[in-house]
């Protein structure tokens, strides 16, 4: 329940059907001190028509200045009392806005709260993202109203949000960021110092989305250096003709494979809101680009910029303008080639009684007989087993073998 403008510590029902009486408050030692309900015969309580209904700039609601509304007799002791003027909880006010937004430009906008055809097409909401502290009450009211609207035939769904994800908290100097602690950062200062792309990207990189992380100045400097390296590398490739890849030469499999693995990684991570690991994959790809500059072609750079665009939209757009007059943000999202990222070999793990004792490279799809033959033929395994004979062998395809003695 929202805080009332009534005496400090007083319970606030946020309903005009409740009246606060000072005399009754003095007589009551516990419970909802001083609050009395309007008699049933006086219901419903109708709100007055007032011309000046805008916020007053104080801690009082517009109705709090309408004396004929708030000044009433106490239903219990008949002394002069004060009617509650905070007439609706703010969570309840915002519990149906998602229904209104898609219909604001509808031709029927003036006649209905939401257009049924538009609502049926666009809703329910695919994903709700917000802070856990805020979302609890908001979801409670939204779900209650959605169920009521469904019962009344106003909508065709009961659950307003099909998926909910709570973002984590930001920590600064060892404490949760909050106004009361005075440790909230001013984003404008960081934008002026590092640019909006660096701040945006750092907030996505500093930790898992649902866990949050520690905001540190040295962290944003690291992201800034990465973006500077992107700028310098691509510009150097474009300015130095000798560093450009020969269009007739074959692309090394290592670079091509990593590019396609990065496409898949970034694509999957954005889908699951794992932005920090998607950015990490881009950093790994840039390292490889810088290590083998001559193997990097124009197509590789274009793919890299498309993957970078959701995280650093302004830098990506600026660099993309060197290739095309069209915006990068309307380009098709790159697709990866499944065949090019398939692994032909993997690290096969050998366990003895559940403990890892050896690892070696084998081809993908190796069968149990061949795996056992290779495992028991290794000198390291022979020495560990000695004269012990296996009771059984557990084989997990394309992963491990466990020898139980």
């Amino acid at each position: 329940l929202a805080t009332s403008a009534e005496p400090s510590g007083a319970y606030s029902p946020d309903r005009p059907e409740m009246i606060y009486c000072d005399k009754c408050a003095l007589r009551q030692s516990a419970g909802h001190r001083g609050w009395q309900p309007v008699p049933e015969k006086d219901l419903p309580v109708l709100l007055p028509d007032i011309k000046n209904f805008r916020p007053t700039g104080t801690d009082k609601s517009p109705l709090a200045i309408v004396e004929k509304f708030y000044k009433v007799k106490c239903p219990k002791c008949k002394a002069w009392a004060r009617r509650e003027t905070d007439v609706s909880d703010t969570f309840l006010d915002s519990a149906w806005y998602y229904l209104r937004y898609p219909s604001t430009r509808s031709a029927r906008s003036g006649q209905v709260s939401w257009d049924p055809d538009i609502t049926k097409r666009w809703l329910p909401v695919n994903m709700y993202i917000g802070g856990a502290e805020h979302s609890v009450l908001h979801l409670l009211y939204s779900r209650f109203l959605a169920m009521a609207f469904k019962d009344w035939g106003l909508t065709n769904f009961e659950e307003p949000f099909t998926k909910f994800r709570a973002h984590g908290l930001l920590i600064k100097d060892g404490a949760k960021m909050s106004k009361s602690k005075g440790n909230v950062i001013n984003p404008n200062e960081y934008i002026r110092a590092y640019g909006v792309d660096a701040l945006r990207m750092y907030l996505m990189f500093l930790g898992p989305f649902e866990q949050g992380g520690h905001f540190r100045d040295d962290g944003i400097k690291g992201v800034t250096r990465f973006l500077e390296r992107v700028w310098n590398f691509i510009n150097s490739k474009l300015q130095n003709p000798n560093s450009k890849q020969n269009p007739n030469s074959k692309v090394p499999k290592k670079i091509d494979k990593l590019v396609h693995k990065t496409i898949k990684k970034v694509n999957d991570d954005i889908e699951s809101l794992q932005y920090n690991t998607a950015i990490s994959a881009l950093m790994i790809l840039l390292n490889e680009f810088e290590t083998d500059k001559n193997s990097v072609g124009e197509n590789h750079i274009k793919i890299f910029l498309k993957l970078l665009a959701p995280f650093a939209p302004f830098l990506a757009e600026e660099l993309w303008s060197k290739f095309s007059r069209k915006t990068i943000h309307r380009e098709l999202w790159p697709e990866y080639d499944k065949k090019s990222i398939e692994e032909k070999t993997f690290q096969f793990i050998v366990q003895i009684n559940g403990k890892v004792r050896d690892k070696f490279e084998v081809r993908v799809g190796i069968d149990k007989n061949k795996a056992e033959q290779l495992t028991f033929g290794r000198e390291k395994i022979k020495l560990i087993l000695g004269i012990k004979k296996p009771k059984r062998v557990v084989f997990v395809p394309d992963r491990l073998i466990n020898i139980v003695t």
Side-chain angles (χ1 to χ4, degrees):
L1 294 169
T3 303
S4 172
E6 302 296 348
S8 178
Y11 159 83
S12 171
D14 288 329
R15 302 298 305 166
E17 297 89 352
M18 297 298 288
I19 294 169
Y20 181 80
C21 176
D22 285 319
K23 283 191 176 182
C24 290
L26 291 172
R27 293 174 189 152
Q28 292 174 319
S29 58
H32 299 149
R33 273 188 165 188
W35 288 103
Q36 305 295 341
V38 170
E40 192 173 345
K41 65 182 178 62
D42 295 333
L43 294 177
V45 175
L46 301 178
L47 303 185
D49 263 335
I50 56 173
K51 291 181 180 179
N52 183 20
F53 58 84
R54 294 186 179 279
T56 60
T58 66
D59 61 350
K60 295 181 179 180
S61 70
L63 283 174
I65 61 174
V66 183
E67 187 175 341
K68 66 178 182 179
F69 176 73
Y70 71 75
K71 190 175 180 181
V72 292
K73 291 289 184 80
C74 172
K76 189 171 186 180
C77 72
K78 307 305 179 186
W80 283 110
R82 183 182 184 86
R83 187 191 302 280
E84 171 62 69
T85 54
D86 290 339
V87 295
S88 183
D89 191 287
T90 52
F91 283 111
L92 186 61
D93 295 338
S94 61
W96 65 278
Y97 68 90
Y98 68 95
L99 286 161
R100 175 65 180 166
Y101 278 158
S103 299
T104 54
R105 296 184 182 181
S106 166
R108 302 170 65 181
S109 182
Q111 292 123 21
V112 293
S113 297
W114 57 84
D115 189 312
D117 295 331
I118 293 174
T119 302
K120 193 172 183 179
R121 179 185 173 191
W122 285 98
L123 295 171
V125 176
N126 296 90
M127 184 183 292
Y128 180 115
I129 298 176
E133 293 173 337
H134 162 80
S135 300
V136 174
L137 285 178
H138 192 245
L139 283 174
L140 179 70
Y141 283 113
S142 296
R143 294 182 72 206
F144 176 83
L145 286 185
M147 291 178 183
F149 294 152
K150 172 71 169 12
D151 290 345
W152 295 337
L154 299 174
T155 61
N156 64 335
F157 54 86
E158 279 194 343
E159 289 295 342
F161 315 113
T162 53
K163 189 184 293 183
F164 169 69
R165 291 289 181 271
H167 59 70
L169 297 173
L170 285 180
I171 307 297
K172 185 79 163 72
D173 301 326
K176 183 184 80 170
M177 277 193 193
S178 69
K179 292 176 184 176
S180 61
K181 295 182 188 299
N183 63 349
V184 178
I185 66 159
N186 181 355
N188 292 334
E189 295 175 10
Y190 288 88
I191 289 170
R192 281 192 292 269
Y194 303 103
V196 68
D197 275 350
L199 177 61
R200 173 192 178 91
M201 196 168 191
Y202 176 55
L203 289 172
M204 289 187 276
F205 181 63
L206 58 77
F209 180 82
E210 295 182 7
Q211 295 178 27
H214 293 260
F215 189 98
R216 293 189 293 265
D217 288 357
D218 57 345
I220 194 170
K221 289 175 183 176
V223 170
T224 304
R225 286 193 294 270
F226 166 72
L227 293 175
E228 287 171 349
R229 283 169 53 207
V230 171
W231 177 266
N232 293 333
F233 175 79
I234 293 177
N235 277 307
S236 68
K237 285 289 291 181
L238 296 173
Q239 291 166 11
N240 184 2
N242 295 326
S243 70
K244 290 184 180 180
Q245 183 192 35
N246 183 344
N248 297 320
S249 64
K250 287 187 177 181
V251 178
K253 287 185 178 180
K254 187 179 178 183
I255 284 280
D256 223 20
K257 185 175 184 178
L258 185 57
V259 166
H260 284 278
K261 285 179 76 173
T262 306
I263 295 171
K264 184 179 188 305
K265 175 70 175 167
V266 173
N267 189 68
D268 293 347
D269 285 353
I270 288 177
E271 188 79 20
S272 59
L273 307 184
Q274 300 297 319
Y275 304 131
N276 57 323
T277 50
I279 293 169
S280 179
L282 290 172
M283 292 176 172
I284 293 169
L285 183 58
L286 180 65
N287 288 341
E288 191 62 34
F289 280 1
E290 291 172 330
T291 303
D292 194 2
K293 294 180 182 179
N294 294 332
S295 299
V296 180
E298 185 177 299
N299 189 48
H300 294 136
I301 293 173
K302 286 182 176 180
I303 289 173
F304 181 89
L305 288 175
K306 288 179 183 180
L307 298 177
L308 180 69
F311 308 104
F314 294 102
L315 180 73
E317 180 80 328
E318 182 68 24
L319 289 169
W320 184 261
S321 69
K322 299 176 186 297
F323 299 101
S324 172
R325 289 187 177 184
K326 296 179 181 178
T327 175
I328 191 173
H329 303 297
R330 293 203 174 188
E331 289 292 320
L332 292 174
W333 187 252
E335 294 183 4
Y336 65 91
D337 180 10
K338 290 182 180 179
K339 289 185 178 179
S340 68
I341 64 173
E342 285 178 356
E343 298 288 351
K344 293 183 179 179
T345 62
F346 70 99
Q347 281 279 309
F348 188 65
I349 298 169
V350 180
Q351 295 179 342
I352 297 178
N353 296 326
K355 291 185 179 180
V356 177
R357 296 298 189 181
D358 197 7
K359 293 179 183 178
F360 58 95
E361 199 85 6
V362 298
R363 61 175 175 77
V364 173
I366 188 171
D367 60 30
K368 184 179 180 181
N369 290 335
K370 185 64 177 177
E372 285 186 19
Q373 184 183 337
L374 292 172
T375 299
F376 289 112
R378 294 180 69 79
E379 290 301 321
K380 187 176 182 180
I381 300 303
K382 288 178 181 177
L383 287 171
I384 295 171
L385 288 175
I387 60 170
K388 293 179 183 176
K389 292 185 178 181
K391 288 184 178 179
R392 69 176 184 276
V393 176
V394 179
F395 174 70
V396 181
D398 292 339
R399 283 192 62 193
L400 60 84
I401 195 167
N402 182 28
I403 302 165
V404 181
T405 62

